[in-house]
Amino acid sequence: MKDFELLVQRIESVGLEVNIWGDLNCNVAAYPLESHTKSLLEICNLYQYHQLINEHTRITEKSATIIDLLITNKKEFFTHSGVCHIGITDHSLIYGVRKFSPWHLVHLEDNPNRAWEIWSPLFLEICDFHAPET
């Protein structure tokens, strides 16, 4: 977890969007939480990361756990997330539906001049398509 926190610190210093997907072997549905799961969730809380999966992802005859996770620092960029129980293994498929459009690039920019450089050609392309010069 120390290496994970160092990685998060480095990513945070450059302001990137982070999406972590996969089997992290941290059962966020357990009670009480194991120490490594507690550490993961504390790091997520500290850096305002959100775990989006809230349904069991590994189901066996003896247990059901949420160990396949989707962690993001931009939960507002996701419209849906969940679990598909496909039955091929005891792990279910997790998914997230991320909003995507060229406009989101403008919202990510802190520098107004760079935001204008991104927005202007997008806007003009739309104008040319819907109201072309004759």
Side-chain angles (χ1 to χ4, degrees):
M1 285 300 157
K2 290 179 184 179
D3 290 338
F4 177 68
E5 185 168 11
L6 288 173
L7 176 64
V8 170
Q9 286 173 349
R10 288 184 184 146
I11 292 170
E12 284 298 302
S13 70
V14 292
L16 296 175
E17 175 185 351
V18 177
N19 298 307
I20 302 167
W21 303 68
D23 179 358
L24 299 184
N25 281 326
C26 291
N27 182 11
V28 298
Y31 183 81
L33 294 174
E34 295 179 349
S35 62
H36 63 282
T37 304
K38 196 179 292 187
S39 295
L40 174 69
L41 295 176
E42 287 171 356
I43 293 167
C44 289
N45 187 46
L46 180 63
Y47 292 95
Q48 297 181 349
Y49 283 36
H50 304 274
Q51 200 293 111
L52 303 182
I53 303 300
N54 56 21
E55 183 180 340
H56 292 122
T57 62
R58 183 169 186 258
I59 301 171
T60 68
E61 289 181 18
K62 297 181 181 181
S63 67
T65 59
I66 302 175
I67 60 174
D68 301 280
L69 307 177
L70 167 51
I71 298 172
T72 182
N73 63 344
K74 300 289 185 183
K75 73 176 182 175
E76 65 274 12
F77 288 179
F78 285 86
T79 60
H80 298 86
S81 60
V83 178
C84 290
H85 303 288
I86 55 178
I88 296 173
T89 73
D90 58 355
H91 285 264
S92 297
L93 176 70
I94 61 170
Y95 69 91
V97 178
R98 183 168 178 318
K99 297 176 191 177
F100 183 78
S101 74
W103 299 105
H104 90 279
L105 298 172
V106 176
H107 295 290
L108 292 175
E109 241 346 289
D110 291 333
N111 180 325
N113 292 327
R114 180 69 186 125
W116 171 256
E117 290 172 1
I118 295 169
W119 180 82
S120 179
L122 293 171
F123 179 72
L124 292 174
E125 181 180 339
I126 292 168
C127 289
D128 288 344
F129 178 80
H130 291 286
E133 290 184 33
T134 56

